[in-house]
Amino acid sequence: MAAQAQAQSIEVPTDAELLQAQADLWRHSLYYLSSMGLRCAVQLEIPTAIHRLGGVTSLPDLMSALSLPSCKLPFLHRLMHVLVTSGVFAADTDSESGVELYRLTPLSRILVEGVDAEEHHSQKYFVLGVTSPHCTEAALGLADWFKKDLEPPVPSPFEDMHGVPIFDERTALLDKDFDAVTNQGLAAHDNLGIATILRECGDLFMGLESLTDCCGGDGTTARAIVKAYPHIKCTVLDLPKVIDKVPTDGVITYVAGDLFHSIPSSQAMMLKLVLHFWSDEDCVRILTHCRKAIPPRDEGGKLIIIDIVVGPSLGPVMFEAQLLMDMLMMVNTRGGQRDENDWRKIFIKAGFTDYKIMKKLGARCVIEVYP
Ligand SMILES: C[S@@+](CC[C@H](N)C(=O)[O-])C[C@H]1O[C@@H](n2cnc3c(N)ncnc32)[C@H](O)[C@@H]1O
């Protein structure tokens, strides 16, 4: 009776709390419009247009660069207002003419297409992939997925809804274009920031004789490492469908295989942006294979992991970004982002004795793990 009476009563917020709560509710319920506004900007290629206009533009010039009908000018103004508020673009007013000018920010600069610079990897397809109908539909099915009692290994909401996993041989059967967009998005996402890692983490590679980049894709990371540290003998392991398309370059040894079966031996193993895709059980299997393919710690044997370590120490913005990346994994894959405790448990289960978080790089960390 007491519990029922309690359930029927509710603490009423103060007036100030109520008004704040309503505004917060608007923001949290409508953040999808912020994502869709970003998707729209990418689809219209606004970042590239501003870049081609010299990095700064008025709204009418932007309209004509995008070839949009003039009736849409007030609507583009409203879209740009939201995108400026969320930091995608910057705006200021020209002191002489009073005209409002839009500029690129670091965020929109990484969305510019068609720039041939070594450190530039346009993130256009990352945005288009994560905001795609297939991914947003999977997220819309989250509550139904939670209620289903599914046999382990539990399929992701994406797999449960669409009948095929993402980043799989079968994904193209669901939608060829979606598969292509997500693969391009993944490559762009993974290649962003290699130069930063090399600049910030020289200690990782100094004195290293050999390195296997497990799941190293087309070898972009390995080539950058060998360019900076030519003494390192670098091997890239990836699936045959990936390795078969990589032209031999005489610098990197490319091995087609499966990291669940055999990993080429080296002094160090690198797993960059790989483990968050896999379940804890799969990570233990992968890391056990890695441990067997490296020498003992006193001979320089080590594992280099570059991935997110979820935690609030980097501040609320990075923490939110990490948690959203975890939700992205939960909705679309069987993996997830991990906190330090989760990582430690996996290292110990795979037979490693110690680890050190070497460096924090944005929302990610570089971890050395020792046999
Ligand atoms: C997220 S990407 C890795 C990114 C890469 N390490 C980088 O930082 O650029 C995942 C890669 O794992 C590869 N992969 C997936 N399953 C694999 C397996 N069982 N064995 C080897 N490679 C695999 C994929 O082909 C893909 O290239």
Side-chain angles (χ1 to χ4, degrees):
M1 280 300 275
Q4 204 177 18
Q6 205 178 18
Q8 280 168 3
S9 69
I10 191 163
E11 192 185 336
V12 177
T14 63
D15 288 343
E17 284 172 343
L18 189 73
L19 296 172
Q20 184 63 49
Q22 188 179 38
D24 288 340
L25 187 70
W26 289 351
R27 286 191 306 118
H28 293 298
S29 309
L30 300 177
Y31 271 146
Y32 77 96
L33 290 174
S34 174
S35 299
M36 291 307 148
L38 177 64
R39 180 177 170 86
C40 170
V42 168
Q43 286 176 317
L44 294 177
E45 304 197 339
I46 296 177
T48 307
I50 299 181
H51 174 69
R52 289 191 182 142
L53 289 164
V56 56
T57 182
S58 66
L59 202 59
D61 287 349
L62 182 60
M63 286 289 293
S64 58
L66 299 173
S67 305
L68 297 180
S70 57
C71 66
K72 295 292 167 42
L73 188 134
F75 302 99
L76 186 65
H77 184 243
R78 285 157 70 182
L79 175 69
M80 291 302 281
H81 201 165
V82 170
L83 293 170
V84 166
T85 307
S86 58
V88 178
F89 300 110
D92 47 49
T93 306
D94 184 71
S95 53
E96 278 174 27
S97 61
V99 170
E100 192 170 26
L101 297 173
Y102 296 95
R103 297 175 193 279
L104 295 177
T105 62
L107 197 166
S108 38
R109 251 178 261 141
I110 61 172
L111 294 169
V112 171
E113 282 256 287
V115 177
D116 192 16
E118 209 175 317
E119 293 192 22
H120 183 79
H121 300 278
S122 170
Q123 300 300 299
K124 170 181 174 175
Y125 289 102
F126 174 81
V127 175
L128 295 182
V130 298
T131 60
S132 64
H134 289 302
C135 289
T136 46
E137 227 185 293
L140 286 170
L142 205 48
D144 288 336
W145 174 83
F146 263 106
K147 289 181 210 157
K148 279 191 195 170
D149 191 7
L150 299 162
E151 282 293 312
V154 176
S156 68
F158 181 99
E159 190 177 347
D160 185 47
M161 173 168 286
H162 299 303
V164 295
I166 198 167
F167 301 126
D168 188 270
E169 310 258 305
R170 292 161 286 170
T171 319
L173 299 175
L174 169 71
D175 184 330
K176 217 157 67 63
D177 293 341
F178 166 76
D179 186 49
V181 164
T182 47
N183 279 309
Q184 285 182 80
L186 183 67
H189 171 264
D190 292 345
N191 289 338
L192 188 76
I194 293 170
T196 310
I197 294 170
L198 291 172
R199 273 193 292 272
E200 296 280 326
C201 306
D203 293 358
L204 284 179
F205 306 104
M206 218 68 92
L208 210 58
E209 287 163 18
S210 59
L211 174 82
T212 296
D213 186 5
C214 291
C215 298
D218 67 1
T220 304
T221 300
R223 283 192 297 277
I225 292 173
V226 172
K227 195 169 167 203
Y229 302 94
H231 63 278
I232 300 178
K233 198 174 151 297
C234 217
T235 303
V236 167
L237 170 75
D238 210 292
L239 294 172
K241 65 169 183 166
V242 175
I243 296 297
D244 290 351
K245 287 190 202 134
V246 182
T248 47
D249 51 27
V251 178
I252 308 290
T253 306
Y254 294 95
V255 175
D258 183 338
L259 86 166
F260 286 99
H261 292 123
S262 158
I263 296 182
S265 297
S266 275
Q267 190 183 18
M269 290 287 147
M270 185 161 85
L271 291 150
K272 173 173 159 282
L273 312 181
V274 170
L275 296 174
H276 61 249
F277 186 75
W278 302 100
S279 67
D280 287 355
E281 295 71 31
D282 284 338
C283 285
V284 171
R285 285 173 61 205
I286 294 167
L287 293 195
T288 304
H289 283 305
C290 286
R291 184 174 51 76
K292 291 178 183 160
I294 55 173
R297 183 175 183 173
D298 57 9
E299 291 172 30
K302 66 179 179 183
L303 198 67
I304 299 168
I305 294 177
I306 302 175
D307 229 317
I308 286 176
V309 178
V310 177
S313 68
L314 297 165
V317 174
M318 287 291 183
F319 192 33
E320 185 184 27
Q322 293 177 329
L323 293 176
L324 289 173
M325 287 299 276
D326 183 45
M327 280 290 279
L328 182 71
M329 289 296 118
M330 185 171 101
V331 169
N332 295 296
T333 75
R334 294 186 188 183
Q337 309 297 346
R338 300 179 168 89
D339 63 20
E340 190 172 343
N341 215 14
D342 300 327
W343 282 115
R344 187 186 305 113
K345 282 187 203 153
I346 289 172
F347 300 154
I348 290 169
K349 277 193 188 158
F352 286 87
T353 60
D354 200 5
Y355 71 94
K356 191 169 164 192
I357 296 182
M358 303 295 286
K359 187 104 192 161
K360 294 181 177 175
L361 285 175
R364 301 198 183 101
C365 285
V366 180
I367 316 172
E368 273 195 2
V369 193
Y370 311 107

